[in-house]
Amino acid sequence: MQHTDHGSPRRVGAAAGLRDSLGVGLGIFPLGIALGILVIQAGLPGWLAPALSIGIFAGSVELLLVSMLAAATPLVTIAATVFAVNFRHVFYAFSFPLGQVRRGLPRAYSVYAMIDEAYATYVLLPPDKLSSARIVTGQLAMQAYWVSGSLLGALIAAALPAPIEGFEFALVALFVVMAMDAIRGRRELPSAVLACLAVGASMLVAGENTLLVALIIYTVLLGLRFLLNKRRGTSAPDAATDSDLPQEDDRA
């Protein structure tokens, strides 16, 4: 086997994976710190922060779980919420380059660590640039940023003399920013309106199960929207309209 001047192909791939992870790591690490602080401020044990990061490794779900665990949310609601939030990962596997990852433990870990950032990093790279070592190393590094960030956050929160008032709003702020990005593109504005309708209706009728009922209503509304757009044919939501194009350019 031909080796490069800098080492074996596996070592070169691992080095490339580390470089791949640096950019997304700048976002993953601070969010991990926020998770650790939230765990402590919610009155949960500090070990839960790295435990969630190792055992679940799904950023938005972990942040959501902290408030749900602190509020002693019923298990059925937690399971339904996690399923709804992470359902998109089912479709990631269809286009993620899993075929480039060695069978066995590396591929099993790659499936487990298929977070949004890993998907965005590797699904767009040319196949000839990918290797098992590069993908798995990149995913390992991303999880290391997340675990170390959450551990650091827990340590920081434990050392603070008093909780940071309003810090629990970090999760809400994160999702607000993500929603604003989607709304700015206008293409997903109907989805935002449907989400508001679902939450409003759920608040009126669902009582303590507002989140679960809102997710169910929203899923039904999205299904109806899909069927309606399918009947219209060319006016499907994925098709760019004339009014969308300037916004897409602005975002670029």
Side-chain angles (χ1 to χ4, degrees), residues 135-251:
I135 295 173
V136 174
T137 302
Q139 290 178 293
L140 279 169
M142 292 175 199
Q143 186 166 17
Y145 301 142
W146 183 247
V147 174
S148 58
S150 65
L151 184 59
L152 178 60
L155 293 174
I156 291 174
L160 291 175
I164 303 174
E165 293 293 336
F167 195 84
E168 62 276 9
F169 191 72
L171 174 61
V172 179
L174 171 65
F175 283 110
V176 168
V177 171
M178 294 170 67
M180 288 177 64
D181 280 344
I183 293 172
R184 284 177 59 194
R186 292 192 180 180
R187 201 169 65 182
E188 290 305 324
L189 185 58
S191 298
V193 173
L194 294 178
C196 292
L197 291 174
V199 172
S202 180
M203 291 177 68
L204 291 175
V205 302
E208 296 180 352
N209 296 314
T210 299
L211 180 59
L212 176 60
V213 174
L215 286 171
I216 294 173
I217 296 174
Y218 185 53
T219 302
V220 172
L221 291 176
L222 285 180
L224 293 174
R225 181 191 174 202
F226 171 77
L227 294 175
L228 182 62
N229 285 322
K230 189 176 181 181
R231 290 187 61 181
R232 290 177 177 173
T234 55
S235 59
D238 289 340
T241 63
D242 291 341
S243 60
D244 288 337
L245 294 177
Q247 293 297 323
E248 293 296 324
D249 292 339
D250 291 342
R251 293 176 66 188

Side-chain angles (χ1 to χ4, degrees), residues 40-109:
I40 299 299
Q41 292 203 171
L44 298 170
W47 57 263
L48 191 62
L52 286 174
S53 303
I54 295 173
I56 298 179
F57 192 32
S60 55
V61 166
E62 290 179 55
L63 290 164
L64 197 58
L65 272 177
V66 171
S67 58
M68 299 179 80
L69 290 174
T73 304
L75 187 59
V76 174
T77 302
I78 293 177
T81 304
V82 170
F83 176 78
V85 174
N86 270 9
F87 185 66
R88 66 190 185 282
H89 289 266
V90 173
F91 302 98
Y92 282 1
F94 293 116
S95 51
F96 191 81
L98 281 175
Q100 301 283 348
V101 182
R102 284 195 300 120
R103 294 179 183 273
L105 186 59
R107 185 172 294 184
Y109 176 77

